[in-house]
Amino acid sequence: MPAMARGWPQPITIVIDVLRASSSLTVMFDRGAGRVFPVAGLDAARRTARELGALLVGERQGVPPDGFDLGNSPRKLRDMDFAGRDVVFTTSNGTAALENVRHSRQVLMGCFNNASACCRRALELARRHEAIIGLVCAGQDNAFALDDGVCAGFLVETLARLSPQPCQLSDAAKAMQRLHGSFGSALEAFEHTASGRNIRRVGDDPDLALCAAVDTSRAVPVLRPDGSLTA
Amino acid sequence: MPAMARGWPQPITIVIDVLRASSSLTVMFDRGAGRVFPVAGLDAARRTARELGALLVGERQGVPPDGFDLGNSPRKLRDMDFAGRDVVFTTSNGTAALENVRHSRQVLMGCFNNASACCRRALELARRHEAIIGLVCAGQDNAFALDDGVCAGFLVETLARLSPQPCQLSDAAKAMQRLHGSFGSALEAFEHTASGRNIRRVGDDPDLALCAAVDTSRAVPVLRPDGSLTA
């Protein structure tokens, strides 16, 4: 899902998988995680975690697969101490999205939790590199997800508010901004989405309010040339 | 831009290029056109028109290219008589979009002008083939265009209103519905888009109100196996 940047060379890209990969990453870095290695496949994730002696974190169908140390519930991850630990992380949609944005000059992960911190960093990088900022929604099963779109709209608002110059917005950015404005709150939007329903189905309801909370974190996950995320 | 169908096998697809290809096609069929051959490239369009003895209609940067009989202004096309004439038609975005939806079971062109007629036809085909309905926005320069998104939202509304059963909507369909609802009128939305501004720039302002008018036509352009459109 393009937003501000589609087709432009080497944008600063913010990847959004608000339910729940972006939010989980932010929480893990807040709790002291060192490097997080996003891995698309399950087998590769298990192998990489073994090789690195890293914690194995993630989900399929919303729950931790066999042999995983932890799932993809930011609420539960918040109770853990990641100090000095590396993590291998695999989710159904978020980690796959990261594979598609390697052409970017820099890739950040954004969500409601780190909205202002992430947008400040993106604006700073955009100014330094004379680049534009692109928002990429992870979506679900290769299709647009309302939750990510609403979060993209909020990040567009935040970028426009924090930018020292007036922002030029693409049609897609304007559309997401209006989409966000059409809901009373992020939590209300989450109720309308398949991702939101799935999270309730697996009993992780408290994650919805947690993922909807604005500016609870200053951690901005950044993709490094070696494929790991750090904050 | 996916809407109700992305990834599903053989949907009934409605292609939307509201400013102005879908609207122009509707007008040409209303004025008696026989077959319309959408052609992507300029040279191919000129050659095909010569071979078929067809009228050559279309635009680049909003105006008719050299040697074209007519441009892509529905307002101007409305004054012409197409009775019994075949047409070769090429536009910057609309004809390219048609190339990408050949996997569909059936492809229709939709806009505000033919909204009810197009949605009725799509629902009838969907029921007959037990298929789902997909909406594809032509967009501009491979990016999302607000005008097409707003029109898609209106067609989602119309499909939901005319469908005898409750419609299951994708997240993208819901998003476009909300986008449409966020504007007071289609004309207001057109003022916010690059396409709308381009149409003013070339002096075709009356096209905006014409393209925003609902249910002024019962013509539904349908893509045939030979690549032509008929109504």
Side-chain angles (χ1 to χ4, degrees), chain A residues 114-137:
Chain A
N114 72 353
S116 292
C118 179
C119 289
R120 253 188 220 105
R121 181 76 64 87
L123 287 164
E124 187 188 301
L125 288 164
R127 196 188 56 225
R128 190 190 315 159
H129 296 294
E130 298 185 14
I132 64 159
I133 297 171
L135 305 184
V136 171
C137 295

Side-chain angles (χ1 to χ4, degrees), chain A residues 215-230:
Chain A
D215 287 347
T216 52
S217 169
R218 280 186 226 167
V220 183
V222 177
L223 190 63
R224 301 290 166 192
D226 70 354
S228 72
L229 292 156
T230 59

Side-chain angles (χ1 to χ4, degrees), chain A residues 146 171 174 178 182-183 192, chain B residues 146 171 174 178 182 192:
Chain A
L146 205 53
D171 275 16
K174 288 180 198 166
R178 284 179 169 266
S182 80
F183 287 100
H192 284 77
Chain B
L146 205 54
D171 275 16
K174 288 180 198 165
R178 283 178 170 268
S182 80
H192 283 77

Side-chain angles (χ1 to χ4, degrees), chain A residues 177-190:
Chain A
Q177 206 178 14
R178 284 179 169 266
L179 179 65
H180 172 257
S182 80
F183 287 100
S185 68
L187 202 53
E188 186 204 324
F190 291 170

Side-chain angles (χ1 to χ4, degrees), chain B residues 68-196:
Chain B
F68 271 52
D69 297 306
L70 296 158
N72 183 32
S73 162
R75 175 66 197 77
K76 290 172 187 160
L77 293 171
R78 206 175 53 174
D79 291 339
M80 310 300 296
D81 185 3
F82 287 87
R85 293 302 302 266
D86 286 344
V87 172
V88 168
F89 187 51
T90 182
T91 65
S92 310
N93 301 292
T95 42
L98 280 175
E99 309 267 314
N100 295 326
V101 294
R102 298 270 166 154
H103 65 286
S104 309
R105 184 172 284 276
Q106 191 90 61
V107 177
L108 316 176
M109 297 287 295
C111 55
F112 287 105
N113 293 176
N114 71 355
S116 292
C118 179
C119 290
R120 253 188 218 105
R121 180 76 64 87
L123 287 164
E124 188 187 299
L125 288 164
R127 196 188 55 225
R128 190 190 315 160
H129 296 295
E130 297 184 15
I132 64 159
I133 298 170
L135 304 184
V136 172
C137 295
Q140 192 167 27
D141 302 330
N142 283 321
F144 174 80
L146 205 54
D147 37 290
D148 291 334
V150 167
C151 185
F154 182 71
L155 295 185
V156 171
E157 296 275 0
T158 307
L159 287 164
R161 182 168 53 79
L162 296 176
S163 171
Q165 291 98 28
C167 283
Q168 260 200 300
L169 301 182
S170 71
D171 275 16
K174 288 180 198 165
M176 294 305 105
Q177 205 177 13
R178 283 178 170 268
L179 179 65
H180 172 258
S182 80
F183 286 101
S185 69
L187 202 52
E188 187 204 325
F190 292 170
E191 304 292 342
H192 283 77
T193 72
S195 313

Side-chain angles (χ1 to χ4, degrees), chain A residues 104-177:
Chain A
S104 308
R105 184 171 285 274
Q106 191 91 60
V107 177
L108 316 177
M109 298 286 295
C111 55
F112 287 105
N113 292 177
N114 72 353
S116 292
C118 179
C119 289
R120 253 188 220 105
R121 181 76 64 87
L123 287 164
E124 187 188 301
L125 288 164
R127 196 188 56 225
R128 190 190 315 159
H129 296 294
E130 298 185 14
I132 64 159
I133 297 171
L135 305 184
V136 171
C137 295
Q140 192 166 27
D141 302 329
N142 282 321
F144 174 81
L146 205 53
D147 37 292
D148 291 334
V150 167
C151 185
F154 182 71
L155 295 185
V156 171
E157 296 276 359
T158 306
L159 287 164
R161 183 168 52 78
L162 296 176
S163 171
Q165 291 97 29
C167 282
Q168 259 200 301
L169 302 181
S170 71
D171 275 16
K174 288 180 198 166
M176 294 305 104
Q177 206 178 14

